Amino acid sequence: MPPGLLFRQTSHTGTTMTNQVLQKLVEMRGVETQYVDAWGNPATISETSKAKLLQALGYDISNESVIAEQLDTEIATVWSQLLDPVCVQRTEDEKQIRLRLPLASVNTEYTVNIDLEEGESHTFTVIPVDQTLLNIGVVDDLEFHEYSIALPQELPCGYHGISLCEEQTVIADMRYILAPVACYQPEAIKAGKKLWGLSVQLYCLRSENNWGIGDFSDLAQLVTKAGKQGAGFIGLNPIHALYPSNPEACSPYGPSSRRWLNFLYIDVTALPEYNSAAVQAVVNAEEFQARLETARSVEYVDYSLVTELKMAALNSLFDEYYNAYLKKNSKQNREFKAFIKAGGESLVMQATYDAMQEYLQNDGKDAWGWPVFPENWRDFHNEAVAKFAKKHKKRVQFYMFLQWQAAEQLEKANQAAIAAGMPVGIYRDLAVGVSEGSAEIWGNKDLYCTAASVGAPPDILGPLGQNWGLPPMDPEILYQQAYQPIIDLFTSNMQSSGALRIDHAMGLLRLWWVCQGDHAKEGGYVYYPLEDLLGILALESHRNQAMVIGEDLGTVPEEIRQVLADNGVYSYRVFFFEKAEDGGFYSPAHYPQQSMSTLTTHDMPTLIGYWHCLDLELGKQLGLYTDDDVLQTLYASRHEDKQEILNSLHGHGRAGDQVGRDVNVTGMSRELNFALQTHMAYGSSALLSLQLEDWLQMDKPVNIPGTFMEYPNWRRKLSRNLESIFADEDIQSLAAGIDAGRQEASR
């Protein structure tokens, strides 16, 4: 149910006690009071946490009369809206909208206009009193009626406009979204083919030509090489825009904007004008070449160094391009202007933000994000920001140019995946939020609750709970904005790809909010309009022909998995979490067909790390396990799990005699590593994703949840260059074994 509808059947007499009024407000705003934790135990949100969550949503709960007044205002606001801001329905639903009117107006004849997205219009008349009455409400002694108005036309899927007219005057309008029943599925999967692919953090890729960070040319090379081995897709980390003036803020899951790209992934050498004399003078300088060699050789991505190198070259390159094409009516200039027009205000906002942050940093000012910008620059819509953008027009154009070139190079990689015959190709990852100082919040501050952060209650991956530092969207404001921000996110992240992974897919239903200053375990769940969001997801999925994978790990209500499945969203099945009650591991052959299975994720240890308990050892060193008894229990549990894994592998005939049967004498070897991965290939999941790190038998994790500065998260590179990986006979043998398993599973 959309948030705005939560108020419709409520009333307030002004005589209830404060705790009852607060509870009503808690219920109306979708704040959960009880839930089942990751271990299946009932848990309760504290009264203090509920009160703080209401404050984070913008409510003053200082006294009873103020709370009562806010309730009355909320109810009056909803009843005064003749039409909802937005209505989302499916093709199988009865097509209808809600209309609210004062009692005195219910006998009036109104004209309803339906303006279809493609330009066609339909008109019909309606007398509300003749329609189905849904609700009656009283606000300030004035009676309102709410009716269901049937739409007589068969409408196509899309984003349509509906307006209500009285005597040819528009008195209300709304967005009407009609969506397919479920998300898109590629033909190969519908035909029953089982696919496999590799998941990779793009920045981790080493190659002979990149500048110390994986880039879009590396991606094109990877999809081509993996496609030749039989891979059906390559899964990426979020490639969202980060902070070019604060490059050490490198987490792909804490971006500046989820609509735009991280242009550090641009292959500078593939850009037009790279071979110009001016650019070559920059990149061939002795000091530049020495620093470039350093950036390539270090074990961890040096984001500051990479940014300095790329920006030096890009600055010179843009000057050349600007003079050659953007000062005249060239084909390139027309294409650039078309890109800017399509990007709209969002692109201008992102480029202006990057230019302002750079300007402040160059001036020696603290510029980590908009909260420390000069006061009249702290909102994109301020006049002072527009003046800055006008004064620094060329610099703003520079950042828009980088977004354009990043999008072009990503599309080239996508075309390489298609040419390689991949049925899915590139699958992208949509982060659950943006960081506090982000451009995305700066451009739409009403939408985000900056007094709270998204996280997770204690679970298997984070025993202390997690606070991700990502301010959540206010579900009511999202509804009032007709879901445009979420539409934009789905649309942009399905570009140049065949699949979209929704990080923390439970965010479509509920998010764990942690108020500022509180521990992660002291948070609470806030609910979102699941059915509406799934409808939009299905519509965009079909429009972009991108399938959808929902990362549904952690604390997940079991019923939500069925809802996601019914909507065509593929679930996420991690082998190490798929355990039976007797302690054994479910066979991958018993996983749901509508799922993507995997051994490990970016938040987990590698196979070597898991087997040798390197994650537990690191966790103790970093203070994640402060109780020795708990840690010893984890070691004991891991020991038992490893024995069950050996039992399962040998029981299914996936491990040969080179792999021991007794965990006490069996270490992680190449044979055991490959046996585990091949075992997964015979599973029933439509998709199998394997980590490239495990192909290379690496031990260090890319990320340790619950850490920030304690560990170099999001930096560790792969151990080998891309050019050599697929030339390795062991790798070729592994790929062939996985491909054979997938073909067998497809029969």
Side-chain angles (χ1 to χ4, degrees):
M1 180 181 292
L5 304 185
L6 296 173
F7 297 100
R8 288 189 177 146
Q9 298 185 36
T10 66
S11 61
H12 176 64
T13 64
T15 61
T16 52
M17 297 298 291
T18 301
N19 62 344
Q20 294 173 317
V21 177
L22 277 175
Q23 185 58 33
K24 180 63 69 175
L25 197 54
V26 163
E27 293 172 1
M28 290 192 301
R29 288 313 314 266
V31 177
E32 179 66 280
T33 56
Q34 295 180 328
Y35 69 99
V36 177
D37 69 17
W39 294 272
N41 303 314
T44 302
I45 306 298
S46 72
E47 294 300 317
T48 300
S49 293
K50 287 188 284 188
K52 286 183 176 181
L53 289 173
L54 290 177
Q55 288 179 308
L57 283 162
Y59 292 97
D60 181 350
I61 59 171
S62 57
N63 63 70
E64 183 175 337
S65 62
V66 170
I67 299 168
E69 183 179 344
Q70 290 172 109
L71 281 170
D72 290 339
T73 299
E74 296 274 18
I75 294 168
T77 298
V78 172
W79 279 108
S80 66
Q81 285 187 310
L82 303 186
L83 296 173
D84 295 325
V86 60
C87 174
V88 182
Q89 293 188 310
R90 305 299 184 95
T91 51
E92 63 179 4
D93 295 337
E94 292 185 18
K95 313 305 183 292
Q96 55 191 6
I97 59 174
R98 294 172 181 255
L99 173 62
R100 290 171 293 280
L101 293 163
L103 179 59
S105 303
V106 300
N107 289 293
T108 302
E109 182 176 87
Y110 297 93
T111 300
V112 179
N113 296 321
I114 306 175
D115 296 315
L116 301 185
E117 186 177 13
E118 298 301 323
E120 186 180 347
S121 295
H122 299 283
T123 299
F124 66 95
T125 59
V126 63
I127 299 175
V129 74
D130 295 335
Q131 305 298 308
T132 302
L133 178 64
L134 298 175
N135 293 306
I136 297 175
V138 177
V139 178
D140 294 332
D141 298 324
L142 184 63
E143 185 173 320
F144 285 80
H145 286 200
E146 181 180 59
Y147 295 93
S148 173
I149 308 298
L151 302 180
Q153 281 79 22
E154 283 295 322
L155 304 175
C157 289
Y159 301 99
H160 311 307
I162 294 180
S163 57
L164 183 72
C165 301
E166 183 177 10
E167 297 180 353
Q168 298 184 329
T169 299
V170 176
I171 59 174
D173 56 27
M174 68 179 297
R175 165 179 272 173
Y176 181 78
I177 303 173
L178 189 60
V181 174
C183 293
Y184 169 83
Q185 290 190 62
E187 290 300 322
I189 290 179
K190 285 200 292 186
K193 188 171 183 180
K194 309 293 187 186
L195 305 179
W196 68 271
L198 293 168
S199 290
V200 64
Q201 305 285 306
L202 183 54
Y203 53 85
C204 289
L205 291 178
R206 291 180 185 265
S207 71
E208 295 174 0
N209 296 315
N210 77 36
W211 286 15
I213 186 172
D215 59 35
F216 290 129
S217 290
D218 290 337
L219 177 59
Q221 185 180 174
L222 176 60
V223 297
T224 300
K225 290 179 178 294
K228 288 180 179 179
Q229 300 295 324
F233 60 89
I234 294 293
L236 298 180
N237 57 286
I239 52 176
H240 308 316
L242 297 180
Y243 300 88
S245 294
N246 185 20
E248 294 305 313
C250 61
S251 170
Y253 291 95
S256 177
S257 172
R258 291 172 290 174
R259 280 199 65 182
W260 301 103
L261 296 171
N262 180 357
F263 51 73
L264 282 187
Y265 292 132
I266 289 175
D267 174 6
V268 180
T269 68
L271 292 178
E273 301 303 309
Y274 175 74
N275 291 319
S276 65
V279 177
Q280 288 300 300
V282 172
V283 302
N284 287 323
E286 185 176 346
E287 182 183 359
F288 188 99
Q289 285 294 312
R291 301 181 78 209
L292 179 57
E293 180 57 34
T294 298
R296 285 173 171 159
S297 63
V298 292
E299 183 180 1
Y300 295 93
V301 177
D302 186 336
Y303 284 98
S304 293
L305 178 55
V306 168
T307 302
E308 289 170 10
L309 292 170
K310 291 207 172 187
M311 290 299 281
L314 289 168
N315 283 329
S316 177
L317 188 148
F318 179 70
D319 284 340
E320 295 296 303
Y321 194 92
Y322 185 87
N323 291 326
Y325 304 112
L326 302 186
K327 281 186 172 181
K328 58 188 73 169
N329 184 26
S330 63
K331 174 177 177 287
Q332 292 87 341
N333 195 14
R334 291 192 295 272
E335 291 175 349
F336 183 37
K337 287 180 177 177
F339 178 80
I340 293 172
K341 182 179 180 181
E345 182 182 83
S346 176
L347 177 59
V348 175
M349 178 269 295
Q350 179 65 42
T352 303
Y353 179 94
D354 287 341
M356 293 182 95
Q357 192 177 43
E358 177 187 55
Y359 177 87
L360 290 170
Q361 186 189 63
N362 290 342
D363 199 34
K365 304 285 179 57
D366 186 6
W368 64 266
W370 63 263
V372 295
F373 284 7
E375 188 170 350
N376 60 350
W377 285 8
R378 292 180 187 172
D379 191 310
F380 169 67
H381 300 96
N382 285 349
E383 184 180 352
V385 174
K387 289 181 178 178
F388 173 91
K390 184 176 181 181
K391 182 178 179 180
H392 301 273
K393 180 180 178 181
K394 184 180 176 183
R395 199 58 184 168
V396 173
Q397 280 188 311
F398 168 73
Y399 282 107
M400 291 193 288
F401 171 80
L402 296 186
Q403 288 297 335
W404 180 38
Q405 293 303 311
E408 292 279 303
Q409 289 195 358
L410 175 60
E411 177 55 24
K412 286 181 180 178
N414 180 48
Q415 291 302 316
I418 294 171
M422 287 186 164
V424 173
I426 294 170
Y427 93 65
R428 295 177 60 178
D429 195 348
L430 176 61
V432 71
V434 289
S435 58
E436 180 186 0
S438 65
E440 192 170 306
I441 295 177
W442 184 63
N444 194 355
K445 290 169 74 174
D446 290 342
L447 178 60
Y448 289 88
C449 297
T450 55
S453 167
V454 177
D459 60 23
I460 298 168
L461 285 179
L464 301 179
Q466 298 177 56
N467 184 340
W468 302 327
L470 312 172
M473 291 182 180
D474 183 332
E476 174 64 20
I477 301 299
L478 182 62
Y479 173 67
Q480 293 298 331
Q481 293 185 4
Y483 298 131
Q484 190 60 49
I486 208 75
I487 295 169
D488 291 339
L489 289 182
F490 290 157
T491 302
S492 59
N493 283 277
M494 290 179 182
Q495 298 299 304
S496 301
S497 67
L500 178 66
R501 174 186 180 272
I502 307 289
D503 183 49
H504 194 62
M506 291 307 96
L508 298 170
L509 170 70
R510 65 184 188 183
L511 285 173
W512 183 260
W513 287 28
V514 183
C515 294
Q516 282 186 350
D518 284 355
H519 191 279
K521 65 183 179 182
E522 297 170 340
Y525 281 113
V526 175
Y527 275 76
Y528 287 75
L530 173 66
E531 291 296 336
D532 284 3
L533 299 182
L534 285 174
I536 294 167
L537 184 61
L539 177 56
E540 289 301 325
S541 171
H542 279 272
R543 289 192 161 195
N544 293 281
Q545 294 199 332
M547 65 182 300
V548 179
I549 302 154
E551 189 264 295
D552 52 354
L553 306 178
T555 309
V556 182
E558 193 55 41
E559 60 271 18
I560 188 60
R561 283 202 167 100
Q562 186 59 51
V563 173
L564 292 173
D566 291 343
N567 281 269
V569 177
Y570 280 63
S571 68
Y572 211 60
R573 299 295 165 134
V574 179
F575 173 78
F576 294 118
F577 298 160
E578 295 296 314
K579 295 181 63 178
E581 291 185 5
D582 63 3
F585 287 84
Y586 288 115
S587 167
H590 295 155
Y591 294 174
Q593 184 276 334
Q594 192 174 308
S595 69
M596 183 175 79
S597 58
T598 185
L599 280 164
T600 62
T601 75
H602 59 264
D603 284 330
M604 295 173 62
T606 64
L607 290 181
I608 289 179
Y610 174 90
W611 200 263
H612 293 162
C613 300
L614 301 182
D615 57 319
L616 301 181
E617 182 181 320
L618 261 176
K620 179 174 175 57
Q621 293 174 7
L622 300 175
L624 298 181
Y625 305 110
T626 56
D627 188 318
D628 283 340
D629 290 339
V630 170
L631 184 59
Q632 290 308 312
T633 299
L634 292 173
Y635 272 111
S637 177
R638 179 70 58 83
H639 192 76
E640 294 172 1
D641 287 347
K642 291 192 295 183
Q643 183 61 62
E644 291 293 346
I645 290 170
L646 293 176
N647 294 345
S648 185
L649 289 176
H650 284 288
H652 285 88
R654 306 297 178 212
D657 293 337
Q658 309 97 318
V659 177
R661 296 174 180 269
D662 182 356
V663 68
N664 294 293
V665 294
T666 304
M668 176 54 69
S669 62
R670 168 192 171 280
E671 289 76 17
L672 176 55
N673 179 317
F674 286 10
L676 270 166
Q677 298 193 61
T678 306
H679 178 53
M680 297 295 292
Y682 289 85
S684 53
S685 297
L687 302 173
L688 168 63
S689 177
L690 299 167
Q691 302 284 327
L692 193 49
E693 290 93 332
D694 290 324
W695 278 35
L696 301 178
Q697 302 179 67
M698 295 176 64
D699 58 354
K700 292 185 178 67
V702 74
N703 175 55
I704 298 179
T707 64
F708 178 52
M709 299 299 292
E710 302 91 337
Y711 182 82
N713 294 323
W714 317 115
R715 299 168 186 271
R716 189 226 60 217
K717 297 181 185 179
L718 296 181
S719 57
R720 296 171 63 177
N721 275 3
L722 184 56
E723 289 83 0
S724 69
I725 292 174
F726 294 96
D728 186 308
E729 292 184 359
D730 282 348
I731 295 294
Q732 293 175 4
S733 175
L734 173 61
I738 292 168
D739 201 53
R742 293 272 75 193
Q743 291 184 38
E744 176 67 26
S746 300
R747 296 191 180 98

